[in-house]
Short mmCIF file of all heavy atoms in Angstrom, two decimals:
data_model
loop_
_atom_site.label_atom_id
_atom_site.label_comp_id
_atom_site.label_asym_id
_atom_site.label_seq_id
_atom_site.Cartn_x
_atom_site.Cartn_y
_atom_site.Cartn_z
N MET A 27 -1.13 30.24 -8.36
CA MET A 27 -2.09 30.13 -9.43
C MET A 27 -3.44 30.70 -9.04
O MET A 27 -3.77 30.86 -7.81
CB MET A 27 -2.22 28.65 -9.80
CG MET A 27 -3.20 27.78 -9.00
SD MET A 27 -3.12 26.10 -9.68
CE MET A 27 -4.27 26.27 -10.99
N SER A 28 -4.27 31.01 -10.03
CA SER A 28 -5.62 31.59 -9.69
C SER A 28 -6.48 30.57 -8.99
O SER A 28 -6.26 29.38 -9.13
CB SER A 28 -6.29 32.18 -10.85
OG SER A 28 -6.94 31.07 -11.51
N ASP A 29 -7.57 31.08 -8.28
CA ASP A 29 -8.46 30.17 -7.65
C ASP A 29 -9.42 29.54 -8.65
O ASP A 29 -10.29 28.77 -8.22
CB ASP A 29 -9.22 30.93 -6.55
CG ASP A 29 -8.57 30.64 -5.25
OD1 ASP A 29 -7.53 29.87 -5.19
OD2 ASP A 29 -8.98 31.22 -4.18
N GLN A 30 -9.39 30.01 -9.88
CA GLN A 30 -10.34 29.53 -10.92
C GLN A 30 -10.22 28.03 -11.08
O GLN A 30 -9.13 27.55 -11.27
CB GLN A 30 -9.97 30.25 -12.22
CG GLN A 30 -10.86 30.03 -13.42
CD GLN A 30 -12.15 30.91 -13.24
OE1 GLN A 30 -12.03 31.99 -12.89
NE2 GLN A 30 -13.27 30.26 -13.63
N LYS A 31 -11.31 27.35 -11.03
CA LYS A 31 -11.19 25.92 -11.18
C LYS A 31 -10.98 25.50 -12.58
O LYS A 31 -11.58 26.04 -13.49
CB LYS A 31 -12.49 25.19 -10.65
CG LYS A 31 -12.43 24.96 -9.15
CD LYS A 31 -13.47 23.97 -8.69
CE LYS A 31 -14.75 24.56 -8.56
NZ LYS A 31 -15.78 24.73 -7.97
N ILE A 32 -10.06 24.51 -12.84
CA ILE A 32 -9.78 24.13 -14.27
C ILE A 32 -10.99 23.37 -14.73
O ILE A 32 -11.42 23.38 -15.87
CB ILE A 32 -8.50 23.37 -14.29
CG1 ILE A 32 -7.34 24.18 -13.71
CG2 ILE A 32 -8.18 23.04 -15.81
CD1 ILE A 32 -6.01 23.35 -13.60
N PHE A 33 -11.51 22.48 -13.94
CA PHE A 33 -12.70 21.63 -14.22
C PHE A 33 -13.67 21.79 -13.13
O PHE A 33 -13.38 22.27 -12.02
CB PHE A 33 -12.21 20.16 -14.29
CG PHE A 33 -11.29 19.90 -15.44
CD1 PHE A 33 -9.92 19.74 -15.21
CD2 PHE A 33 -11.80 19.83 -16.75
CE1 PHE A 33 -9.04 19.53 -16.21
CE2 PHE A 33 -10.92 19.66 -17.73
CZ PHE A 33 -9.51 19.52 -17.52
N PRO A 34 -14.93 21.40 -13.34
CA PRO A 34 -15.92 21.52 -12.28
C PRO A 34 -15.54 20.59 -11.13
O PRO A 34 -14.76 19.63 -11.28
CB PRO A 34 -17.22 20.85 -12.91
CG PRO A 34 -16.94 20.68 -14.34
CD PRO A 34 -15.46 20.79 -14.59
N GLY A 35 -15.98 21.01 -9.93
CA GLY A 35 -15.63 20.25 -8.74
C GLY A 35 -16.20 20.92 -7.47
O GLY A 35 -16.84 22.00 -7.65
N PRO A 36 -16.12 20.31 -6.31
CA PRO A 36 -16.72 20.92 -5.10
C PRO A 36 -16.18 22.31 -4.86
O PRO A 36 -15.02 22.65 -5.05
CB PRO A 36 -16.20 19.92 -4.00
CG PRO A 36 -15.60 18.80 -4.58
CD PRO A 36 -15.29 19.15 -6.04
N SER A 37 -17.09 23.15 -4.24
CA SER A 37 -16.71 24.53 -4.05
C SER A 37 -16.40 24.77 -2.56
O SER A 37 -16.13 25.92 -2.15
CB SER A 37 -17.78 25.48 -4.57
OG SER A 37 -19.02 25.16 -4.03
N SER A 38 -16.55 23.81 -1.71
CA SER A 38 -16.25 24.03 -0.28
C SER A 38 -14.81 24.38 0.00
O SER A 38 -13.96 24.17 -0.81
CB SER A 38 -16.73 22.71 0.51
OG SER A 38 -16.21 21.63 -0.13
N PRO A 39 -14.49 25.00 1.23
CA PRO A 39 -13.12 25.39 1.44
C PRO A 39 -12.23 24.14 1.53
O PRO A 39 -12.62 23.08 1.74
CB PRO A 39 -13.17 25.94 2.85
CG PRO A 39 -14.61 26.01 3.27
CD PRO A 39 -15.42 25.24 2.26
N TRP A 40 -10.89 24.38 1.21
CA TRP A 40 -9.89 23.30 1.06
C TRP A 40 -9.92 22.33 2.23
O TRP A 40 -9.82 21.15 2.03
CB TRP A 40 -8.47 23.78 0.72
CG TRP A 40 -7.83 24.45 1.91
CD1 TRP A 40 -7.84 25.74 2.30
CD2 TRP A 40 -7.07 23.77 2.90
NE1 TRP A 40 -7.11 25.89 3.42
CE2 TRP A 40 -6.64 24.70 3.83
CE3 TRP A 40 -6.67 22.43 3.11
CZ2 TRP A 40 -5.79 24.43 4.91
CZ3 TRP A 40 -5.86 22.11 4.17
CH2 TRP A 40 -5.50 23.13 5.08
N TRP A 41 -9.95 22.96 3.43
CA TRP A 41 -9.83 22.12 4.65
C TRP A 41 -11.08 21.17 4.82
O TRP A 41 -10.96 20.07 5.33
CB TRP A 41 -9.59 22.94 5.89
CG TRP A 41 -10.55 24.08 6.06
CD1 TRP A 41 -10.39 25.32 5.61
CD2 TRP A 41 -11.91 24.02 6.70
NE1 TRP A 41 -11.49 26.10 5.90
CE2 TRP A 41 -12.40 25.24 6.53
CE3 TRP A 41 -12.62 23.04 7.30
CZ2 TRP A 41 -13.67 25.61 6.98
CZ3 TRP A 41 -13.87 23.31 7.74
CH2 TRP A 41 -14.37 24.55 7.56
N TRP A 42 -12.18 21.62 4.31
CA TRP A 42 -13.43 20.81 4.36
C TRP A 42 -13.23 19.60 3.41
O TRP A 42 -13.56 18.50 3.62
CB TRP A 42 -14.55 21.69 3.91
CG TRP A 42 -15.88 20.93 4.05
CD1 TRP A 42 -16.65 20.36 3.03
CD2 TRP A 42 -16.64 20.67 5.24
NE1 TRP A 42 -17.72 19.78 3.48
CE2 TRP A 42 -17.76 19.88 4.85
CE3 TRP A 42 -16.46 21.00 6.60
CZ2 TRP A 42 -18.65 19.47 5.75
CZ3 TRP A 42 -17.46 20.49 7.54
CH2 TRP A 42 -18.52 19.71 7.07
N GLN A 43 -12.75 19.93 2.18
CA GLN A 43 -12.54 18.89 1.25
C GLN A 43 -11.48 17.83 1.65
O GLN A 43 -11.66 16.67 1.56
CB GLN A 43 -12.11 19.50 -0.15
CG GLN A 43 -13.13 20.39 -0.73
CD GLN A 43 -12.76 20.89 -2.18
OE1 GLN A 43 -12.15 20.20 -2.95
NE2 GLN A 43 -13.11 22.14 -2.48
N THR A 44 -10.46 18.41 2.33
CA THR A 44 -9.40 17.49 2.83
C THR A 44 -9.96 16.51 3.92
O THR A 44 -9.78 15.35 3.90
CB THR A 44 -8.22 18.24 3.52
OG1 THR A 44 -7.82 19.18 2.53
CG2 THR A 44 -7.14 17.39 4.01
N THR A 45 -10.80 17.11 4.90
CA THR A 45 -11.40 16.42 5.94
C THR A 45 -12.27 15.33 5.39
O THR A 45 -12.26 14.11 5.80
CB THR A 45 -12.16 17.23 6.96
OG1 THR A 45 -11.34 18.43 7.18
CG2 THR A 45 -12.42 16.56 8.24
N ALA A 46 -13.07 15.70 4.37
CA ALA A 46 -14.07 14.71 3.77
C ALA A 46 -13.19 13.56 3.06
O ALA A 46 -13.66 12.46 3.24
CB ALA A 46 -14.90 15.45 2.71
N LEU A 47 -12.13 13.99 2.46
CA LEU A 47 -11.35 12.96 1.81
C LEU A 47 -10.66 11.96 2.76
O LEU A 47 -10.58 10.79 2.50
CB LEU A 47 -10.34 13.63 0.91
CG LEU A 47 -9.68 12.85 -0.25
CD1 LEU A 47 -10.81 12.55 -1.26
CD2 LEU A 47 -8.59 13.62 -0.92
N ILE A 48 -10.26 12.48 3.87
CA ILE A 48 -9.64 11.63 4.90
C ILE A 48 -10.68 10.72 5.39
O ILE A 48 -10.45 9.48 5.65
CB ILE A 48 -9.01 12.45 6.02
CG1 ILE A 48 -7.81 13.18 5.47
CG2 ILE A 48 -8.59 11.56 7.19
CD1 ILE A 48 -7.20 14.12 6.42
N ARG A 49 -11.90 11.30 5.78
CA ARG A 49 -12.93 10.49 6.50
C ARG A 49 -13.48 9.40 5.58
O ARG A 49 -13.78 8.32 6.01
CB ARG A 49 -13.98 11.37 6.91
CG ARG A 49 -13.56 12.12 8.04
CD ARG A 49 -14.69 12.91 8.74
NE ARG A 49 -14.28 13.30 10.04
CZ ARG A 49 -15.08 13.67 11.02
NH1 ARG A 49 -16.34 13.52 10.81
NH2 ARG A 49 -14.56 14.01 12.17
N ASN A 50 -13.69 9.71 4.27
CA ASN A 50 -14.40 8.73 3.40
C ASN A 50 -13.93 9.02 1.96
O ASN A 50 -14.69 9.52 1.18
CB ASN A 50 -15.91 9.00 3.62
CG ASN A 50 -16.75 8.04 2.79
OD1 ASN A 50 -16.18 7.11 2.20
ND2 ASN A 50 -18.02 8.21 2.71
N SER A 51 -12.71 8.61 1.65
CA SER A 51 -12.16 8.90 0.38
C SER A 51 -13.02 8.22 -0.74
O SER A 51 -13.35 8.90 -1.75
CB SER A 51 -10.81 8.29 0.26
OG SER A 51 -9.85 8.90 1.10
N TYR A 52 -13.29 6.96 -0.58
CA TYR A 52 -14.03 6.30 -1.65
C TYR A 52 -15.36 6.97 -1.80
O TYR A 52 -15.86 7.22 -2.99
CB TYR A 52 -14.25 4.86 -1.29
CG TYR A 52 -12.95 4.00 -1.30
CD1 TYR A 52 -12.94 2.77 -0.58
CD2 TYR A 52 -11.88 4.40 -1.93
CE1 TYR A 52 -11.83 1.95 -0.60
CE2 TYR A 52 -10.70 3.60 -1.99
CZ TYR A 52 -10.66 2.37 -1.30
OH TYR A 52 -9.55 1.66 -1.24
N GLY A 53 -16.11 7.31 -0.76
CA GLY A 53 -17.39 7.94 -0.82
C GLY A 53 -17.34 9.29 -1.56
O GLY A 53 -18.20 9.60 -2.46
N LEU A 54 -16.37 10.13 -1.18
CA LEU A 54 -16.29 11.35 -1.78
C LEU A 54 -15.95 11.26 -3.29
O LEU A 54 -16.49 12.02 -4.13
CB LEU A 54 -15.16 12.20 -1.13
CG LEU A 54 -15.02 13.60 -1.63
CD1 LEU A 54 -16.30 14.48 -1.31
CD2 LEU A 54 -13.81 14.32 -0.96
N LEU A 55 -15.04 10.31 -3.64
CA LEU A 55 -14.71 10.18 -5.06
C LEU A 55 -15.95 9.75 -5.87
O LEU A 55 -16.23 10.28 -6.97
CB LEU A 55 -13.59 9.11 -5.25
CG LEU A 55 -12.29 9.54 -4.63
CD1 LEU A 55 -11.23 8.41 -4.71
CD2 LEU A 55 -11.69 10.72 -5.43
N ASP A 56 -16.70 8.81 -5.24
CA ASP A 56 -18.00 8.43 -5.94
C ASP A 56 -18.85 9.58 -6.17
O ASP A 56 -19.51 9.84 -7.24
CB ASP A 56 -18.77 7.36 -5.14
CG ASP A 56 -18.08 5.95 -5.24
OD1 ASP A 56 -17.48 5.75 -6.26
OD2 ASP A 56 -18.19 5.17 -4.25
N LYS A 57 -18.97 10.40 -5.07
CA LYS A 57 -19.96 11.57 -5.18
C LYS A 57 -19.48 12.52 -6.29
O LYS A 57 -20.23 12.96 -7.06
CB LYS A 57 -19.86 12.34 -3.85
CG LYS A 57 -21.11 12.24 -2.98
CD LYS A 57 -21.09 13.17 -1.86
CE LYS A 57 -21.86 12.53 -0.69
NZ LYS A 57 -21.47 13.19 0.56
N CYS A 58 -18.18 12.81 -6.36
CA CYS A 58 -17.61 13.77 -7.27
C CYS A 58 -17.81 13.25 -8.74
O CYS A 58 -18.26 14.01 -9.53
CB CYS A 58 -16.16 14.02 -7.02
SG CYS A 58 -15.86 15.03 -5.59
N ILE A 59 -17.55 12.04 -8.91
CA ILE A 59 -17.67 11.49 -10.33
C ILE A 59 -19.17 11.53 -10.80
O ILE A 59 -19.48 11.82 -11.93
CB ILE A 59 -17.00 10.17 -10.53
CG1 ILE A 59 -16.86 9.89 -12.04
CG2 ILE A 59 -17.71 8.98 -9.93
CD1 ILE A 59 -15.81 8.85 -12.31
N ASN A 60 -20.02 11.20 -9.81
CA ASN A 60 -21.51 11.24 -10.18
C ASN A 60 -21.93 12.63 -10.50
O ASN A 60 -22.77 12.86 -11.32
CB ASN A 60 -22.26 10.63 -9.03
CG ASN A 60 -22.03 9.08 -8.94
OD1 ASN A 60 -21.74 8.47 -9.92
ND2 ASN A 60 -22.29 8.48 -7.80
N LYS A 61 -21.47 13.57 -9.72
CA LYS A 61 -21.93 14.96 -9.87
C LYS A 61 -21.25 15.64 -11.01
O LYS A 61 -21.85 16.43 -11.76
CB LYS A 61 -21.72 15.69 -8.53
CG LYS A 61 -22.33 17.06 -8.48
CD LYS A 61 -22.49 17.45 -7.06
CE LYS A 61 -23.10 18.87 -7.02
NZ LYS A 61 -23.04 19.49 -5.72
N TYR A 62 -19.90 15.58 -11.10
CA TYR A 62 -19.15 16.29 -12.05
C TYR A 62 -18.57 15.59 -13.30
O TYR A 62 -18.11 16.14 -14.25
CB TYR A 62 -18.02 17.07 -11.35
CG TYR A 62 -18.34 17.80 -10.06
CD1 TYR A 62 -17.96 17.23 -8.86
CD2 TYR A 62 -19.07 18.98 -10.17
CE1 TYR A 62 -18.34 17.88 -7.65
CE2 TYR A 62 -19.44 19.62 -8.98
CZ TYR A 62 -19.08 19.05 -7.80
OH TYR A 62 -19.47 19.70 -6.57
N GLY A 63 -18.65 14.23 -13.17
CA GLY A 63 -17.91 13.44 -14.21
C GLY A 63 -16.41 13.68 -14.10
O GLY A 63 -15.92 14.29 -13.16
N THR A 64 -15.65 13.11 -15.11
CA THR A 64 -14.09 13.38 -15.00
C THR A 64 -13.69 14.07 -16.24
O THR A 64 -14.39 13.99 -17.31
CB THR A 64 -13.35 12.11 -14.85
OG1 THR A 64 -13.82 11.14 -15.85
CG2 THR A 64 -13.33 11.52 -13.52
N PRO A 65 -12.62 14.85 -16.19
CA PRO A 65 -11.83 15.13 -14.96
C PRO A 65 -12.69 16.12 -14.09
O PRO A 65 -13.44 16.84 -14.55
CB PRO A 65 -10.58 15.84 -15.49
CG PRO A 65 -10.74 15.96 -16.99
CD PRO A 65 -12.07 15.42 -17.46
N PHE A 66 -12.34 16.05 -12.79
CA PHE A 66 -12.96 17.01 -11.84
C PHE A 66 -11.81 17.60 -11.02
O PHE A 66 -10.72 17.02 -10.84
CB PHE A 66 -14.07 16.47 -11.01
CG PHE A 66 -13.68 15.28 -10.10
CD1 PHE A 66 -13.13 15.46 -8.86
CD2 PHE A 66 -13.96 14.05 -10.54
CE1 PHE A 66 -12.76 14.33 -8.06
CE2 PHE A 66 -13.62 12.91 -9.79
CZ PHE A 66 -13.07 13.10 -8.51
N SER A 67 -12.09 18.87 -10.51
CA SER A 67 -11.07 19.58 -9.69
C SER A 67 -11.39 19.55 -8.20
O SER A 67 -12.53 19.68 -7.88
CB SER A 67 -10.96 21.00 -10.14
OG SER A 67 -10.35 21.15 -11.38
N MET A 68 -10.40 19.46 -7.38
CA MET A 68 -10.58 19.56 -5.91
C MET A 68 -9.45 20.40 -5.38
O MET A 68 -8.40 20.53 -5.95
CB MET A 68 -10.55 18.22 -5.21
CG MET A 68 -11.80 17.34 -5.46
SD MET A 68 -11.76 15.90 -4.44
CE MET A 68 -11.94 16.52 -2.89
N LYS A 69 -9.70 20.98 -4.16
CA LYS A 69 -8.66 21.75 -3.46
C LYS A 69 -8.39 20.97 -2.18
O LYS A 69 -9.24 20.85 -1.30
CB LYS A 69 -9.24 23.16 -3.21
CG LYS A 69 -8.34 24.09 -3.91
CD LYS A 69 -8.39 25.41 -3.87
CE LYS A 69 -6.90 25.80 -4.24
NZ LYS A 69 -6.63 27.06 -4.52
N ILE A 70 -7.16 20.48 -2.03
CA ILE A 70 -6.87 19.67 -0.84
C ILE A 70 -5.83 20.40 -0.03
O ILE A 70 -5.64 20.11 1.16
CB ILE A 70 -6.42 18.26 -1.27
CG1 ILE A 70 -7.55 17.62 -2.12
CG2 ILE A 70 -6.13 17.37 -0.02
CD1 ILE A 70 -7.18 16.30 -2.70
N ASN A 71 -5.21 21.28 -0.62
CA ASN A 71 -4.39 22.29 0.21
C ASN A 71 -4.62 23.75 -0.35
O ASN A 71 -5.17 23.81 -1.54
CB ASN A 71 -2.96 21.86 0.36
CG ASN A 71 -2.15 21.96 -1.03
OD1 ASN A 71 -2.34 22.95 -1.77
ND2 ASN A 71 -1.35 21.04 -1.25
N PRO A 72 -4.19 24.83 0.38
CA PRO A 72 -4.55 26.14 -0.07
C PRO A 72 -3.88 26.55 -1.37
O PRO A 72 -4.38 27.32 -2.12
CB PRO A 72 -4.10 27.03 1.01
CG PRO A 72 -3.53 26.13 2.10
CD PRO A 72 -3.48 24.70 1.64
#
Side-chain angles (χ1 to χ4, degrees):
M27 86 180 276
S28 87
D29 263 357
Q30 186 79 39
K31 276 199 278 219
I32 307 175
F33 294 102
S37 50
S38 42
W40 73 267
W41 49 268
W42 183 261
Q43 297 186 36
T44 304
T45 313
L47 203 63
I48 292 171
R49 286 189 164 201
N50 182 6
S51 294
Y52 292 159
L54 183 65
L55 293 173
D56 282 333
K57 254 191 211 160
C58 287
I59 195 162
N60 289 336
K61 189 160 178 193
Y62 309 107
T64 47
F66 60 83
S67 287
M68 285 188 68
K69 243 185 155 170
I70 303 175
N71 71 37

